[in-house]
Amino acid sequence: MCGIVGYIGKKEALPIITEGLKRLEYRGYDSAGVVILNKEASLVKVKGRVKDLTDKLDNKNIIGNYGIGHTRWATHGEPSEINAHPHCDCKKEIFVVHNGIIENYVSLRERLIEKGHKFVSETDTEVIAHLIEEFFDGNLEEAVRLALKEIMGAYAIAVVSLKDPNKIVFTRKSSPLLIGLGQDENFIASDAPAILGNTKRVIYLEDNELGVITANDFKIIDLENNKIQKEVSLLEWNIEEAEKKGYPHFMFKEIMEEGDAIRNVPRGRVVLEEGAVKFGGLEHIENKLRDVERLTIIAMGTAYLAGFVGKYMLEEYAQMPVMLENASEFRYKKSIIDKNSAVIAVSQSGETADTLFAVKEAKRQGALTLGIINVVGSSIAREVDAGIYNHAGPEIGVASTKAFVSQIAVFALLSVFLGRQRGMSLIMGKRIIEELSQIPSLIEKIFQKTERIKELAEKYYKHENFFYLGRKYNYPIALEGALKLKEISYIHAEGYQAGEMKHGPIAMIDENFPSICIVPKDSVYEKNFSGIQEIKARKGKIIAITTEENNELNNIVDDCLFIPKTLEMLTPLLSVIPLQLFAYYVAVLRGNDIDKPRNLAKSVTVE
Ligand code: G6P
C-alpha cells in the first residue's frame, strides 16, 4: 500500500532515496518522509506528495551515506506530518518505515505505554519502533528478530539505528520487499520501480525472512537465526512495466490484488472465538448504533452497487430495514431520515461530490453518518461521524475492481457487527467470518481459469449488446458486470433482475443478443433455471456463471464458467471476478484504453 526505499553505499543517500520514492508514488501519496544517518540522524517528513518532501529538503543540507524513506497511503491515522514515516523510538535513535497493518498494535501500544514509552502518532507503525527499542541491546537485527515474535499482521519493515550504525535491517510478511545489489552499494525497496534506475540485480525476500544490508554485503536469516541462501534474479521490466508488476494494465493488476484487498478487511478486526467484529472507527458510537432502527446507504457508480449487495446482507443478517439511494438523488428527493437513522456513505476515493453533499444533507436532517471509505483522511472520511476504512490500497484503473470487492467484504463484516448487536448467534457470526477468510483462496481458483475467460471474450467481443441477469445477491452483480462492460468496452450492456426478464426485456432476445446469467447453486437457483430456458427458447445465446460441479447447465447454455462454493451472501465476491475479467479482455480485444476509458474520471469531484 505504501512505498519503502532504502540505500546504503558511498554516494549521498538522500537524492537516491527521494528519486526512488517518486517512482513509488503510484503506491501511495498522502505523506512522505526520510531519515538519513550520519553521526546523527536527519529526519524530515511532510504531509503531501514526494514533491512537497523535496521542497522541504531543498534548504537543508543533509549529508549521509545511508537512510530509509517512505511514501504513505494512510491506514491508521490520517495523513499528517506526525503520522508520516519514518517513526522512531523514545530516544530518537531507532527509525522504522513500514508497509501493511500491525493487527495487535492496540495491545502492544498499551503494554509499551505501561513500560514508560511515549507515543506521538496515531499509527500502528510506531509500536514497531518502541518494541525494537525494548529489545535493543547493541545488535539491531537481533532486536528486530525478537520484536517480530510479538507482532501480528502484514508488513514490510525497514529499520536503521544510530546505535548500531552502517546497516539497514528489514523483514517482511505478506507485503513485498526486495534487495537491489550494486557495486559498493545496496538498496532495498518495496517495489522494483524504486531501484530500477540503479541496478537490475535483485533478491526477493520471502515471508519471515530478515535481512541486513551494508555497503558491501548482505545477509538473510530466518526468525530462528539460521542463515538462508538466496538466488539473485535479474529484473527485466522497464519502469512502467514494473509499476504494473509486469501486468499490461493497472486494472488487471488490481483484479489480481482482489484476494489481498479482501484479506485486509478483517485484519485486526475479528475475534473469531466470539464470532464478533470490532471496528476501531465505530468504537465511539457503538452504543448509538444499538439504537439505530433504519439504515440508508448512499453512493455512486460501482460503490453504489457494492452498497446494493450490502443492503441485502444487512437486511438478512442484521435484520434492519435498509434503503439504498443514489447519492445524487438522495440530495434532492424526499428521503425518510430521522434521529433513529444511520446513513452509510460508500466511496473508494472519499471525494465524490454527489456522495459528499448527500452526507452533508443527511447530517442536516439529523442522521448519524458513517463511511466505508478507501482513502484515509479524504473529504467524506472527514465529514462522517464514524467510519470503516477499506485498506484496499490505491486503485488506479478508472474502472473500480478491487475497491468493489473490498467494500462488499466490509459490508459482510458490518452485517456481523450490527447483527451481533441484534441477536445474531455466535455460531452465525463465526461462520460468516470463517467463510470470508476463505474467499481469497477461492478467488485464486477463479484466476486459474483466466485463459477460459479470455477465450469467451474472443468468442463474444464483436457483439454490440449484452444482458446481465442475476437474482437476490447476484442482481447487483449483474448490474456491476454490465457497468464494467460499458465503462471499458463501450458495448451496450444492461443488468436486470432475472425475474424482470419476461416483463419486457426478453423482447430484445434473438441469436445476436447474448445474456450473461449469474446462477450459482443458491436459494434462487431453481427460479433462475427456468429463466435460462425461456431465453434459450428464443434462441438467445447464454454464458452462465454457476457453482463448480453443477453440470446440469452444460447442455443447455452456450458456455459455462464455474465459481467455487461459498455462503450465499458471499457469492458476489466470487461471481463478479469472471465478469470483471470478461469486460477487461473484451476491451483489450477492442483496442480500448483500459485504465483511462473515454469520458470517465476516477474521482468525480463535481456534481
Ligand atoms: C466514478 C468512477 C467510478 C466510481 C464512482 C464512485 O464514476 O468512474 O468507478 O465507482 O465514481 O467513486 P467513489 O470514489 O465515490 O467510490
Side-chain angles (χ1 to χ4, degrees):
M1 277 183 236
C2 314
I4 291 177
V5 192
Y7 172 82
I8 186 159
K10 295 202 160 54
K11 297 180 191 148
E12 284 305 328
L14 185 61
I16 296 173
I17 293 173
T18 50
E19 197 47 47
L21 290 179
K22 276 185 207 151
R23 301 229 176 273
L24 291 189
E25 275 206 308
Y26 70 98
R27 301 256 316 164
Y29 38 73
D30 57 42
S31 46
V34 283
V35 63
I36 303 294
L37 276 72
N38 207 323
K39 289 209 173 58
E40 51 191 39
S42 310
L43 176 66
V44 182
K45 312 201 278 187
V46 291
K47 176 181 174 192
R49 305 194 72 116
V50 177
K51 172 79 173 69
D52 301 303
L53 179 68
T54 50
D55 286 350
K56 187 167 175 183
L57 287 163
D58 262 356
N59 50 16
K60 298 190 179 356
N61 185 24
I62 296 178
I63 299 173
N65 302 122
Y66 73 110
I68 50 179
H70 190 260
T71 168
R72 180 167 184 247
W73 171 268
T75 56
H76 294 79
E78 60 169 25
S80 68
E81 189 176 324
I82 291 270
N83 288 337
H85 303 207
H87 288 282
C88 60
D89 62 332
C90 300
K91 296 190 210 109
K92 299 197 169 47
E93 290 172 351
I94 295 168
F95 300 88
V96 175
V97 291
H98 160 226
N99 289 353
I101 299 168
I102 304 300
E103 290 172 14
N104 57 340
Y105 85 101
V106 175
S107 56
L108 284 174
R109 189 178 161 117
E110 280 167 8
R111 214 181 77 199
L112 288 161
I113 288 174
E114 267 171 34
K115 290 193 163 190
H117 289 262
K118 297 260 177 300
F119 282 76
V120 295
S121 77
E122 303 157 299
T123 64
D124 52 339
T125 305
E126 199 182 348
V127 298
I128 307 171
H130 291 278
L131 199 58
I132 296 171
E133 177 180 28
E134 197 59 30
F135 286 112
F136 188 75
D137 193 15
N139 180 316
L140 187 59
E141 57 267 36
E142 182 57 8
V144 173
R145 190 179 74 83
L146 295 173
L148 286 180
K149 300 203 177 232
E150 315 237 341
I151 290 173
M152 283 161 57
Y155 46 78
I157 299 169
V159 193
V160 288
S161 169
L162 284 169
K163 290 285 142 118
D164 187 11
N166 299 315
K167 60 167 78 159
I168 302 175
V169 177
F170 45 92
T171 183
R172 64 154 270 178
K173 188 175 174 198
S174 311
S175 190
L177 198 64
L178 53 88
I179 309 176
L181 300 174
Q183 198 66 44
D184 295 330
E185 59 183 6
N186 288 311
F187 309 79
I188 53 153
S190 52
D191 306 81
I195 56 165
L196 261 178
N198 300 299
T199 179
K200 291 205 175 288
R201 295 174 59 227
V202 297
I203 294 175
Y204 293 99
L205 218 64
E206 299 299 330
D207 279 356
N208 298 318
E209 291 180 346
L210 195 155
V212 184
I213 53 169
T214 60
N216 301 305
D217 206 2
F218 69 89
K219 168 176 100 174
I220 295 167
I221 56 171
D222 65 18
L223 296 188
E224 268 58 62
N225 232 338
N226 304 306
K227 256 194 141 174
I228 301 175
Q229 296 299 329
K230 300 284 289 184
E231 259 179 41
V232 177
S233 316
L234 270 192
L235 282 176
E236 281 163 11
W237 297 332
N238 61 33
I239 285 173
E240 203 198 316
E241 285 165 339
E243 285 182 350
K244 295 174 189 153
K245 282 201 199 138
Y247 295 121
H249 302 100
F250 279 110
M251 180 182 174
F252 193 79
K253 169 179 171 275
E254 284 157 7
I255 293 173
M256 294 297 131
E257 288 170 347
E258 290 185 321
D260 281 341
I262 293 170
R263 253 183 224 113
N264 278 343
V265 171
R267 254 184 224 296
R269 289 168 166 167
V270 297
V271 190
L272 184 61
E273 54 289 0
E274 291 171 24
V277 173
K278 292 189 192 319
F279 290 111
L282 300 188
E283 238 162 49
H284 64 290
I285 55 150
E286 229 175 291
N287 285 334
K288 268 193 191 166
L289 282 172
R290 273 177 217 282
D291 298 333
V292 166
E293 289 169 4
R294 263 185 304 278
L295 295 172
T296 299
I297 298 171
I298 49 173
M300 300 299 289
T302 290
Y304 171 87
L305 296 174
F308 209 146
V309 178
K311 167 184 159 73
Y312 281 19
M313 286 177 170
L314 289 162
E315 284 170 343
E316 182 167 358
Y317 289 96
Q319 307 220 3
M320 297 173 80
V322 185
M323 309 278 287
L324 172 75
E325 306 255 19
N326 179 289
S328 62
E329 288 290 301
F330 176 88
R331 214 187 143 193
Y332 297 107
K333 69 186 264 293
K334 171 79 194 143
S335 297
I336 310 296
I337 295 287
D338 58 25
K339 62 178 179 20
N340 296 324
S341 304
V343 167
I344 308 177
V346 190
S347 174
Q348 186 285 128
S349 63
E351 300 297 344
T352 300
D354 289 312
T355 311
L356 178 62
F357 291 134
V359 168
K360 291 186 180 184
E361 177 57 25
K363 271 178 129 176
R364 200 188 59 77
Q365 294 185 32
L368 178 70
T369 53
L370 312 180
I372 296 177
I373 311 287
N374 194 30
V375 180
V376 174
S378 54
S379 303
I380 302 173
R382 281 182 277 120
E383 190 66 40
V384 291
D385 296 311
I388 305 166
Y389 284 121
N390 289 89
H391 298 166
E395 190 179 63
I396 293 173
V398 166
S400 181
T401 52
K402 70 171 175 176
F404 178 69
V405 293
S406 163
Q407 286 155 350
I408 293 177
V410 170
F411 273 115
L413 288 191
L414 186 62
S415 305
V416 176
F417 178 87
L418 294 173
R420 294 283 281 134
Q421 284 189 334
R422 289 162 178 76
M424 177 193 280
S425 70
L426 184 154
I427 292 174
M428 181 50 81
K430 211 170 154 185
R431 173 117 198 264
I432 296 173
I433 295 168
E434 275 174 336
E435 289 279 341
L436 182 66
S437 73
Q438 296 305 314
I439 295 288
S441 58
L442 302 182
I443 288 181
E444 287 303 320
K445 286 177 87 178
I446 302 177
F447 288 159
Q448 286 163 14
K449 295 175 196 149
T450 303
E451 273 308 305
R452 168 82 180 119
I453 300 169
K454 197 170 168 187
E455 274 168 30
L456 289 185
E458 278 158 7
K459 181 168 168 188
Y460 289 93
Y461 81 99
K462 289 194 176 140
H463 286 274
E464 290 302 333
N465 299 288
F466 280 86
F467 275 139
Y468 283 70
L469 306 171
R471 197 183 293 255
K472 203 175 167 184
Y473 281 106
N474 282 293
Y475 166 47
I477 297 307
L479 297 173
E480 174 61 8
L483 180 62
K484 282 288 93 75
L485 195 71
K486 278 186 275 220
E487 282 179 311
I488 58 170
S489 75
Y490 321 139
I491 292 174
H492 169 236
E494 285 189 67
Y496 271 106
Q497 305 92 333
E500 183 68 16
M501 203 46 189
K502 56 180 165 301
H503 297 282
I506 203 165
M508 303 290 295
I509 290 289
D510 63 18
E511 60 275 23
N512 297 316
F513 202 131
S515 302
I516 300 190
C517 299
I518 308 146
V519 284
K521 269 276 194 180
D522 57 11
S523 64
V524 289
Y525 175 76
E526 308 302 333
K527 296 274 168 215
N528 288 331
F529 188 78
S530 43
I532 282 181
Q533 283 171 324
E534 283 161 18
I535 298 173
K536 267 328 296 173
R538 276 115 189 133
K539 297 197 170 52
K541 292 200 182 80
I542 294 181
I543 303 174
I545 296 179
T546 190
T547 311
E548 273 168 5
E549 290 168 27
N550 174 30
N551 293 320
E552 76 178 324
L553 293 176
N554 277 349
N555 299 328
I556 303 172
V557 302
D558 297 81
D559 292 287
C560 232
L561 283 171
F562 295 95
I563 56 170
K565 200 170 169 35
T566 182
L567 267 187
E568 178 169 320
M569 71 181 291
L570 300 177
T571 50
L573 291 171
L574 302 179
S575 56
V576 77
I577 313 268
L579 302 185
Q580 293 169 339
L581 285 167
F582 181 75
Y584 170 79
Y585 284 121
V586 167
V588 169
L589 287 162
R590 291 171 79 110
N592 296 349
D593 186 344
I594 303 291
D595 289 327
K596 292 198 180 67
R598 72 180 186 203
N599 309 342
L600 298 181
K602 183 72 192 152
S603 167
V604 183
T605 53
V606 289
E607 246 196 294

